[in-house]
């Protein structure tokens, strides 16, 4: 692909997230580490709104059960053993009875891509296998809907392959085997392309000649604890007129713009695939706080009320889930008509 990617100059103030009349059919949510956990939470809470789920370096849905101690000791490392999948299924069923997650029928229709590095020093890869086992019980045809990739060399993060025309300084990337740095791993592997091809098989745009736009948008109107002021949106040139699919891409801990600049939103590989396949990519951004110093997405309940014994962070009522779904809904709204167009109809 010869077409390059560029960012709009928005030094003054970010734009409002636009209504783009995006498709409701080709919609995926993907994420790495805490973003992977959040991606699963979104897919289980609203399975009817998504067609695909991609998870890198994260474990079973519901793993933390609202406990930071469990999150650290059973969902990243396994000092307290592996999570009980039957117990987590009961948790999902309890939520379903209260209308806090989607139906089992809708969940069974998803396509799912799961990846982990087996040289990961931060995350026990067996938890990724547990996630695969969990989804294999939910999907109608796991052999056709579920793809699991285990990388024997990779560490913790999001592996990438940079095209020759993209130059990135070495300090902006993590080591493939050890992770670290930005957790955008220099592995010479296009995981984004492999994942998106699995989740969204569709006709390619032949030889795209125009650049896409990487825009900064104001997240303040989607007010939720733990969200940064600014997020990013990638729009291929053919998507301003509507009917393009959408991918929500969720960074991991220590991977937001606040911490690594635009490394993830520019170099994940998602934009290149999106340009060739006319797919909008939404990059919401989390922020660091006293209770969340690494800028993670809320997969253990920190963004909910401190008095809640059982926070609803993984449900439709979760404050971050509500905000992220509101962003998706905005992109799927029809573009407002110009007055002259409205009068002529």
């Amino acid at each position: 692909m010869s077409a390059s990617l560029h960012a709009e100059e928005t030094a003054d103030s970010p734009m409002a997230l636009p209504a783009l009349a995006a498709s409701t059919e080709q919609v995926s949510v993907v994420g790495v580490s805490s973003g992977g956990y959040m991606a699963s939470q979104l897919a289980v809470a609203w399975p009817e709104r998504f067609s695909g789920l991609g998870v890198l370096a994260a474990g079973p849905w519901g793993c933390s059960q609202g406990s930071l101690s469990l999150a650290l000791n059973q969902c990243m490392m396994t000092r307290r053993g592996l999570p009980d999948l039957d117990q987590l299924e009961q948790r999902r069923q309890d939520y379903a009875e209260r209308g806090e997650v989607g139906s089992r029928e809708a969940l069974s229709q998803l396509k799912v891509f799961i990846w982990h590095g087996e040289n990961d020093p931060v995350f026990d890869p067996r938890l990724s296998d547990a996630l695969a086992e969990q989804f294999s019980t939910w999907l109608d045809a796991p052999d056709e809907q579920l793809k699991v990739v285990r990388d024997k060399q990779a560490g913790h993060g999001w592996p990438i392959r940079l095209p020759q025309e993209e130059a990135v300084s070495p300090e902006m990337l993590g080591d493939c085997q050890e992770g670290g740095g930005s957790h955008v791993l220099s592995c010479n592997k296009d995981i984004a392309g492999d994942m998106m091809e699995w989740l969204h098989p569709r006709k390619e745009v032949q030889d795209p000649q125009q650049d896409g736009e990487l825009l900064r948008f104001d997240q303040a109107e989607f007010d939720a604890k733990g969200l940064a002021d600014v997020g990013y949106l990638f729009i291929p040139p053919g998507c301003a007129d509507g009917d393009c699919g959408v991918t929500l891409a969720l960074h991991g801990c220590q991977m937001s713009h606040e911490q690594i600049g635009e490394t993830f939103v520019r170099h994940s590989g998602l934009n290149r695939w999106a340009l060739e396949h006319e797919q909008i990519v939404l990059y919401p951004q989390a922020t660091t706080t006293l209770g969340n110093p690494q800028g993670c997405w809320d997969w253990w309940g920190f963004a909910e009320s401190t008095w809640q014994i059982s926070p609803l962070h993984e449900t439709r009522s979760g404050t971050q889930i509500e905000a992220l779904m509101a962003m998706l809904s905005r992109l799927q709204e029809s573009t407002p008509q110009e007055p002259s167009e409205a009068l002529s109809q």
Side-chain angles (χ1 to χ4, degrees):
M1 183 187 69
S2 60
S4 61
L5 308 174
H6 74 282
E8 288 290 286
E9 295 296 333
T10 54
D12 295 331
S13 60
M15 62 182 286
L17 186 64
L20 295 175
S23 171
T24 60
E25 301 299 321
Q26 290 280 346
V27 184
S28 56
V29 56
V30 304
V32 56
S33 195
S34 74
Y37 273 111
M38 175 57 81
S40 291
Q41 289 177 180
L42 284 164
V44 173
W46 291 102
E48 64 271 28
R49 299 286 300 274
F50 296 100
S51 58
L53 166 67
V55 179
L56 281 64
W61 170 88
C63 186
S64 74
Q65 301 182 63
S67 165
L68 177 58
S69 177
L70 278 180
L72 295 174
N73 295 299
Q74 196 172 55
C75 306
M76 294 301 291
M77 292 291 102
T78 52
R79 288 180 285 266
R80 295 178 60 174
L82 289 167
D84 184 333
L85 296 185
D86 291 335
Q87 183 181 33
L88 298 183
E89 172 59 13
Q90 186 59 57
R91 186 178 181 86
R92 188 200 65 80
Q93 291 180 19
D94 291 345
Y95 280 141
E97 290 175 2
R98 291 148 49 191
E100 288 287 0
V101 298
S103 69
R104 176 70 178 270
E105 180 180 1
L107 187 61
S108 71
Q109 303 304 306
L110 289 172
K111 289 204 75 174
V112 181
F113 180 97
I114 297 172
W115 176 94
H116 70 255
E118 296 194 347
N119 200 38
D120 193 328
V122 177
F123 169 79
D124 188 329
R126 292 179 298 169
L127 290 160
S128 185
D129 291 332
L131 172 66
E133 181 181 348
Q134 186 180 55
F135 266 95
S136 69
T137 67
W138 291 340
L139 301 177
D140 272 351
D143 290 344
E144 300 174 7
Q145 295 170 253
L146 174 64
K147 183 174 183 177
V148 181
V149 178
R150 302 173 178 89
D151 191 314
K152 293 183 179 180
Q153 281 76 44
H156 189 72
W158 182 293
I160 64 167
R161 173 186 294 146
L162 286 173
Q164 291 183 346
E165 63 268 21
E166 284 191 37
V168 180
S169 58
E171 61 268 20
M172 293 175 65
L173 301 177
D175 180 85
C176 183
Q177 294 190 3
E178 297 179 3
S182 64
H183 294 293
V184 178
L185 307 182
S186 181
C187 290
N188 195 31
K189 296 177 181 178
D190 184 18
I191 296 301
D194 294 344
M195 174 170 59
M196 296 299 283
E197 287 294 335
W198 176 258
L199 299 180
H200 297 288
R202 58 184 297 178
K203 182 179 178 181
E204 293 187 10
V205 177
Q206 297 299 317
D207 298 323
Q209 298 300 312
Q210 300 182 54
D211 297 341
E213 293 181 322
L214 182 63
L215 306 171
R216 297 167 67 241
F217 72 92
D218 186 1
Q219 289 192 155
E221 65 173 304
F222 306 98
D223 184 34
K225 185 176 180 180
L227 258 64
D229 293 335
V230 171
Y232 287 82
L233 178 68
F234 180 74
I235 310 177
C239 292
D241 298 329
D243 204 34
C244 284
V246 180
T247 295
L248 272 67
L250 303 175
H251 61 74
C253 302
Q254 301 178 331
M255 290 180 68
S256 71
H257 173 265
E258 178 185 3
Q259 296 149 309
I260 65 169
E262 296 180 346
T263 302
F264 179 65
V265 302
R266 285 184 176 276
H267 302 299
S268 66
L270 291 171
N271 297 346
R272 290 194 304 275
W273 191 93
L275 186 63
E276 294 176 341
H277 297 81
E278 293 193 333
Q279 185 91 356
I280 298 163
V281 186
L282 178 70
Y283 294 98
Q285 297 289 295
T287 190
T288 57
T289 62
L290 184 62
N292 179 34
Q294 295 187 6
C296 306
W297 291 101
D298 185 17
W299 61 283
W300 71 87
F302 74 82
E304 304 304 304
S305 300
T306 56
W307 52 263
Q308 281 185 298
I309 297 176
S310 181
L312 299 176
H313 61 286
E314 59 205 350
T315 74
R316 294 181 174 185
S317 299
T319 181
Q320 288 192 357
I321 285 183
E322 287 183 337
L324 294 171
M325 294 304 296
M327 294 179 194
L328 174 60
S329 294
R330 172 68 58 79
L331 292 173
Q332 292 173 335
E333 291 175 2
S334 298
T335 306
Q337 294 179 330
E338 295 295 331
S340 59
E341 294 177 336
L343 289 173
S344 65
Q345 293 182 0

